[in-house]
Structures are given as C-alpha cells and as structure tokens.
Amino acid sequence: MRTIPAQTIVDKVAEMCIAANRELPADVLQAFKTQQAAEENPAAKEIFRQLIENAELSRETGLPLCQDCGLAVFFVEMGEDVRVEGMSLREAVNAGMVKGYKEGYLRKSSCDPFTRKNTGDNGPAIIHFDIVPGDKLKIWMMAKGGGSENMSRVMMFPPAAGWKGLREFIIKRIAEAGPNPCPPVLVGIGIGGNFELAAINSKKALLRDIDDTHPDPEVAKLEEEVLSAINKLNIGPMGLGGKTTCLAVKIATAPCHLASLPLAVNVQCHSARHKEVVL
Amino acid sequence: MAEYTLNTPLTDADIEQLRSGDVVYITGTIYTGRDAAHKRLTDTLDKGDPLPFDLKGALIYYVGPSPAPPGRPIGSAGPTTSYRMDTYAPRLHGLGLKGTIGKGRRSPEVREAMNATKSAYFGATGGAGALLSQAIKAAKVIAYEDLGPEAIRELTVEKFPLLVINDCHGGELYTTPDLEKALAG
Ligand code: SF4
C-alpha cells in the first residue's frame, strides 16, 4: 500500500488547471504552424497567425488562452495499491480544481441548469474514475469549453447502419456545427460500448496526441479517412474557408450490445487544453 | 476587402459602407452581454423599464471575460458563440443596436433584422481571448453584477480588430460546407 497525502493531489491538480489554461499543448501549436504554411486562403493564414500569437501571449502574460476556461473534466486512474490520506480522492481533485481556477484567475462557468445561477467556483469538477492495478495515481485534466461541447452528439444507430452510417453522421455533424465550435476542431469519436460509455470514450480519445497513430491499423485507417473527408468541407479556420477544418480525428472503440451501434462525436475546439500528471 | 476604423456610437452611414469580409477596427465603448444578461434585458423591456445602457448606435460584444488579474483591466476576452442570442437580437436591433460581435452563424431572423435596421454582425477570432484583451483598455461592470462573468460591462477599446461577417446588404462571409464532396470522400 502506498499512501499519498490529499494535499499533494490538491496542489498538483491546481497547477494542472492553471497550466492547461495557459499553455497550448506543443502538438497543437505545431499543427497550427504546419497548417498555416499549407493554407492558401489568406483569411485562414491570418487566423492561424492570431492563434499562434495568442498562444505566445498567454504563455508570457499568464492570461488564459481562451476566456472560456471550461468545465474541468478529469480522468483518474487509481492504482489498487494507493490510499489517499486526509480527504477522499474526489474531494481532493475537486478542491484542487477550485484552488486552481481561483488562483489562476480562470473563468468559472459552472451554473445551475434551471436557475442558471453560477456555482461560483467552477465546481463540481466532472470526474471519471477508473481502478487499475498498481500503486500509481494518474490524473488527466481537460478544460472543456461550452462552445465546442454544445456541438457534440450521441446517437444510437441500428447495427445495419454500419460504418457508412456512422461516417455520414460524423461528417454531417461537423458540417452543421460550421463556424460555431471555433474550428479548426479535433474530433473525438466513441464507437460501441453503450450510451454513456460511447460518450466517455469520445472525450477520452481527445487526450491522445495529434500525431499519435491508433494501435489498430484498421481504426487508424478510419481516423485518416474521416479526417480527410472533414477537411473537404472547406469550413476552414473560424469558418472562413480553407483546407483546415479539422486537425485530428481520434476514435475509441468498445464492444457493444448486439442490438446497438452507439456513436458519440465529441467536438473539441482548437483550444485543446489538457494536462496529465502521474503521482 | 477594405479596412475601416470606426468610432462608437455607430451611425447608419458607418454600417452602410461595410461589406462582408471587410476588416474593422473599433475605438470607443462597447458593451458586453451574453445569455443571462440578454434574458434580463428582455425582461426589463417587457416591464417597460429603462435599459442599463443606451442602445442607440451601440455595439454588444458576446463575451464572458475571465477575471482580471492584478494590474490588468480585464482577463482573457474572446467571443462566445452567437446563435444563443439569436432570439433576443432582432428586438434589440429594432431599438437602435447597430452591431453585435461574436462567433458563428446567425439565424435568418437576425440577418433580416440587421438588413431592416442597417446593422451588422462582426466576428472576432474565437479562442484568441488573450490577444483580443490587449485592445481593451478599461472595463467596468455597469449592470447585473450578480451574474459574474455574464454581467454587463462597459469596455473602452482601442482598435479592437473585427471582421464583418454579415453586412446590412445581405452579405455573409461564412462558407457553406461542401457536404457532397466530403461525403464522397
Ligand atoms: S469553442 Fe473553445 S476556443 Fe472557442 S470560445 Fe469555446 S473554449 Fe474558447
């Protein structure tokens, strides 16, 4: 049994929340630069220029990359041989998030669904726990904005729809979203599992690096296929036209009921903020 | 594609010269307002009470900024998605509002209202909140403080960079997605 003091988790989580909101992941920044060079449309080039400058400015000044610092979403993998001392793991993650959003001058966006009254501390954090073998605690943090999240969908298909049906749904969803979710987007796709697992997988898939190739070559091929199809939509950066509507498509699959074919499409804006820590 | 520098409040003539795709730098005062603030503005109008700011020639920026760190007038301040304000916008345009600033497509009703009232819809780069905040020189909450990030703020801006998405002549800058080509693969 390994013991981790809750305070260590609180501090680490707070740091992650602040850093995620100020530092665009290196792979995303690199993708901006590569795509800026590839674009022929001057408006698309200009948007990339602004996004690159924005990322530099955020790093220098400590201002968040985007004013929508998102709901804080966590994926936690807790080793079976780990014990957290001082608070429950959930309390520790949540307290760290509240601390980070306060001390980092990050916007609090969480509110009551009916009265729309702001909870004031961006809480409660949305946490997905997983118990795994070992004595490590791994935490991923994602700052997920509302503009892109609103464009996400879950759809339960009949099995006969097949890949053709799924592919069509995904492409149409991104076409309908158009300029709303701050393109260029990244698209996380959950296929299989059930209603809720597809959704969780579609978001978790977004934690992979842009140039990370799916271990299953068949799935990797589908990711490529959808990416290239979406980029033919000519929505372009901020909807002004161009080659880059999407930077990456990441698929996560799971076995499903023989009567079902669940699909979840999680749309992630270009401000693809996430961090991970292993304790 | 032309470039203009405009001072607030905006006039009919200011708007009439603009075409989709033009770059506009705004200097002067703009007001922030998003979902909850729009609901309150509408309730205020329904009651027949005066609004917290003068709509005539005004620009509303759909933004909920992040908190201002010490030494800065405002935090990160990029646009939010505009369609959520579509139900409220035509009425405000009818009362003198000259423009809105946001990101994403507007409804046909809003586009019609803008044509009828000589108003425009401007896009700011979504997600470029740190960059856009550099053009904001001062910020003051003037109404609905309890709404936190959604409170109405009066912003003093200098050369705030915008792109005309919808002009008052029916022009639209966003591309229509090439769905057939994409589906064909
Ligand atoms: S969609 Fe993303 S980049 Fe755009 S405003 Fe929302 S969080 Fe920011």
Side-chain angles (χ1 to χ4, degrees), chain A residues 66-68 145-148 180-182 269-271 273, chain B residues 79-80 103 126-127:
Chain A
C66 182
Q67 75 290 337
D68 184 352
S148 57
N180 293 351
C182 289
C269 55
H270 62 71
S271 204
R273 298 151 293 183
Chain B
T80 194
K103 65 173 171 94

Side-chain angles (χ1 to χ4, degrees), chain A residues 155-169 261:
Chain A
M155 180 72 186
M156 304 303 285
F157 280 93
W163 171 243
K164 191 166 172 282
L166 302 186
R167 180 182 181 277
E168 187 177 315
F169 183 90
L261 178 53

Side-chain angles (χ1 to χ4, degrees), chain A:
Chain A
M1 237 344 148
R2 207 178 130 226
T3 302
I4 301 179
Q7 194 57 43
T8 309
I9 298 168
V10 173
D11 294 340
K12 277 284 170 214
V13 166
E15 265 171 41
M16 280 166 99
C17 292
I18 295 173
N21 271 290
R22 290 179 183 175
E23 295 161 22
L24 196 70
D27 59 327
V28 180
L29 188 58
Q30 185 49 52
F32 287 176
K33 291 179 179 164
T34 311
Q35 291 310 115
Q36 186 191 30
E39 284 288 357
E40 283 149 20
N41 174 1
K45 273 195 191 294
E46 167 62 14
I47 295 295
F48 278 123
R49 188 196 66 75
Q50 292 181 19
L51 297 185
I52 293 165
E53 196 184 331
N54 187 65
E56 285 164 3
L57 206 60
S58 177
R59 199 180 271 276
E60 279 168 26
T61 61
L63 286 171
L65 288 155
C66 182
Q67 75 290 337
D68 184 352
C69 303
L71 285 191
V73 181
F74 294 88
F75 291 93
V76 178
E77 272 181 17
M78 166 90 154
E80 281 165 338
D81 301 325
V82 179
R83 209 177 64 86
V84 175
E85 201 176 62
M87 265 185 238
S88 75
L89 179 56
R90 183 185 291 280
E91 283 168 335
V93 172
N94 198 61
M97 185 281 294
V98 169
K99 182 172 189 263
Y101 272 67
K102 182 159 184 277
E103 292 176 358
Y105 296 91
L106 306 178
R107 197 184 84 186
K108 290 87 186 162
S109 302
S110 174
C111 74
D112 181 279
F114 295 118
T115 65
R116 310 306 297 178
K117 192 176 173 345
N118 201 297
T119 65
D121 62 3
N122 215 43
I126 294 172
I127 314 175
H128 305 292
F129 292 102
D130 216 344
I131 307 289
V132 298
D135 65 354
K136 296 225 170 3
L137 177 67
K138 195 164 178 182
I139 305 174
W140 289 265
M141 184 269 168
M142 185 190 275
K144 191 69 175 74
S148 57
E149 188 80 342
N150 281 352
M151 296 298 122
S152 303
R153 294 289 184 273
V154 177
M155 180 72 186
M156 304 303 285
F157 280 93
W163 171 243
K164 191 166 172 282
L166 302 186
R167 180 182 181 277
E168 187 177 315
F169 183 90
I170 298 161
I171 294 168
K172 282 193 175 158
R173 175 83 300 258
I174 303 303
E176 270 167 41
N180 293 351
C182 289
V185 294
L186 290 89
V187 181
I189 298 173
I191 299 174
N194 62 354
F195 187 81
E196 77 271 13
L197 185 60
I200 291 174
N201 279 342
S202 72
K203 185 163 283 178
K204 206 171 175 187
L206 290 169
L207 294 171
R208 285 169 51 201
D209 269 4
I210 288 182
D211 38 21
D212 169 68
T213 311
H214 197 285
D216 180 339
E218 287 305 312
V219 179
K221 226 163 67 192
L222 299 182
E223 290 178 345
E224 275 304 312
E225 182 190 330
V226 177
L227 174 64
S228 120
I230 291 175
N231 279 327
K232 289 190 178 130
L233 286 169
N234 188 35
I235 293 171
M238 291 317 292
L240 303 174
K243 294 179 177 174
T244 329
T245 299
C246 183
L247 297 173
V249 171
K250 301 293 172 193
I251 298 178
T253 63
C256 56
H257 192 285
L258 45 81
S260 307
L261 178 53
L263 169 74
V265 181
N266 199 259
V267 182
Q268 167 65 62
C269 55
H270 62 71
S271 204
R273 298 151 293 183
H274 56 89
K275 284 270 166 206
E276 65 177 86
V277 70
V278 183
L279 293 174

